[in-house]
Amino acid sequence: MSEFLVWERDGVDWPNREASRFVQAGGLRWHVQQMGQGPVMLLIHGTGAATHSWRDLAPLLARQFTVVSADLPGHGFTETPPAERLSLPGMAEAMAALVDALGVKVQWVVGHSAGAAIAARMILDGRTAPRGLIGLNAAMLPLDGVAGLLFPPAARLMVATSIAPRLFAWRAADPAAVERLIAGTGSVLTPAGIALYARLVRDVKHVAGALGMMAQWDLDNFAPQLRQLKTPLALLVGDQDRAVPPSHAQRVLDLLPQVPASTVTVLQGAGHLAHEERPDEVAQFVVRSVTLIAA
């Protein structure tokens, strides 16, 4: 099997393929999906994922919104930029360039995990001005304790060792390894969902992109800047999330006492990939949040 994803082969049965197209923006060739009609809602996935993570949620939201999503740079079927552009500011700038190329006016942004930080960075940089930001298990604060100290340096070390992405991709050939990876997030996915992640992590480019993103990530400097965010923020957390501590959501809101209509909602029994586990409930949360913010 090839080390790299090829759309003509690996995208044949990609979720919501009929909504897919490829767009040139910011010096990259992006895989983009767009569906539905109504106010534009931009979906931004997290590290190591791709548009497949919205496979069930996006069609539900498309009943009321024009839903736009894309594989992040270095992820899925989108090209990889130079390493420095995999940083939080780099990702935010790249996503803003894509939005500009698409010619859409974003009114709502939904970000999962690191995708929420990308969205917030876009807003703080004045690259988008949505009516509201909705974070799903949002990763907007540095990890606590030893994990926070060791995680970025470990990722930088793996990126510097060119064999690391290939080794990771090789291990992903074992279905049990991918199952353990997903279980480590606190989520329970269907076999089909696990198979899609397995397809991604067998791709050396995708793994290198995810590791490169983690290596460049700096939330220590970003977190204090969140105090400048004026956009209403609705946060959903799965109480079983093992990737981002659920307590981080309230800590984020505590930084934003001046922002009206900002809330935290807990989804009992859900893990880090709550939007994949329980898309119906997450869709209801998103619609309720839009209604509350718009009121």
Side-chain angles (χ1 to χ4, degrees):
M1 179 177 289
S2 170
E3 292 183 328
F4 304 101
L5 290 171
V6 177
W7 179 251
E8 292 73 18
R9 180 193 63 218
D10 303 294
V12 169
D13 59 347
W14 196 251
N16 301 311
R17 176 189 168 91
E18 66 282 359
S20 291
R21 58 184 167 128
F22 287 84
V23 176
Q24 287 290 144
L28 299 175
R29 183 174 185 261
W30 295 73
H31 171 230
V32 178
Q33 293 192 332
Q34 182 170 327
M35 64 184 76
Q37 291 184 332
V40 176
M41 178 174 283
L42 176 65
L43 310 184
I44 307 178
H45 69 74
T47 311
T51 49
H52 81 287
S53 68
W54 308 115
R55 59 191 175 277
D56 296 317
L57 180 59
L60 295 174
L61 296 175
R63 296 172 182 173
Q64 300 183 45
F65 305 95
T66 297
V67 177
V68 178
S69 63
D71 296 343
L72 285 175
H75 291 63
F77 298 96
T78 294
E79 289 181 338
T80 304
E84 63 274 10
R85 290 177 60 193
L86 292 170
S87 64
L88 177 52
M91 285 288 201
E93 177 60 31
M95 183 60 70
L98 174 63
V99 170
D100 290 345
L102 293 174
V104 295
K105 181 176 175 56
V106 175
Q107 296 198 40
W108 306 96
V109 184
V110 177
H112 171 246
S113 193
I118 293 172
R121 183 74 269 168
M122 291 171 66
I123 295 169
L124 291 169
D125 291 343
R127 295 308 309 272
T128 190
R131 299 180 66 183
L133 169 57
I134 299 166
L136 309 177
N137 290 308
M140 304 175 83
L141 299 177
L143 292 175
D144 301 322
V146 175
L149 294 173
L150 297 182
F151 193 62
R156 284 194 287 271
L157 178 61
M158 286 189 283
V159 169
T161 306
S162 60
I163 196 174
R166 284 183 165 79
L167 180 61
F168 197 100
W170 173 76
R171 284 287 296 131
D174 177 6
V178 180
E179 290 179 13
R180 288 192 295 270
L181 184 67
I182 298 299
T185 71
S187 288
V188 178
L189 299 186
T190 64
I194 292 173
L196 286 164
Y197 276 102
R199 189 182 311 183
L200 286 173
V201 297
R202 285 196 294 266
D203 172 30
V204 173
K205 177 193 75 68
H206 176 86
V207 173
L211 289 174
M213 183 176 170
M214 290 186 284
Q216 295 288 334
W217 223 237
D218 179 9
L219 293 180
D220 290 304
N221 292 320
F222 171 68
Q225 297 176 40
L226 278 174
R227 297 180 185 276
Q228 302 170 26
L229 190 69
K230 306 300 182 185
T231 304
L233 177 63
L235 298 175
L236 179 72
V237 296
D239 71 335
Q240 299 301 308
D241 189 348
R242 297 180 190 169
V244 177
S247 61
H248 277 202
Q250 187 57 53
R251 286 171 55 189
V252 168
L253 283 203
D254 289 343
L255 295 172
L256 308 171
Q258 77 286 1
V259 182
S262 294
T263 59
V264 173
T265 299
V266 178
L267 188 57
Q268 299 291 334
H272 189 63
L273 304 174
H275 60 299
E276 299 187 50
E277 294 178 276
R278 289 152 67 178
D280 292 298
E281 292 173 75
V282 174
Q284 292 169 16
F285 163 78
V286 171
V287 173
R288 283 198 308 270
S289 299
V290 166
T291 302
L292 175 65
I293 292 170

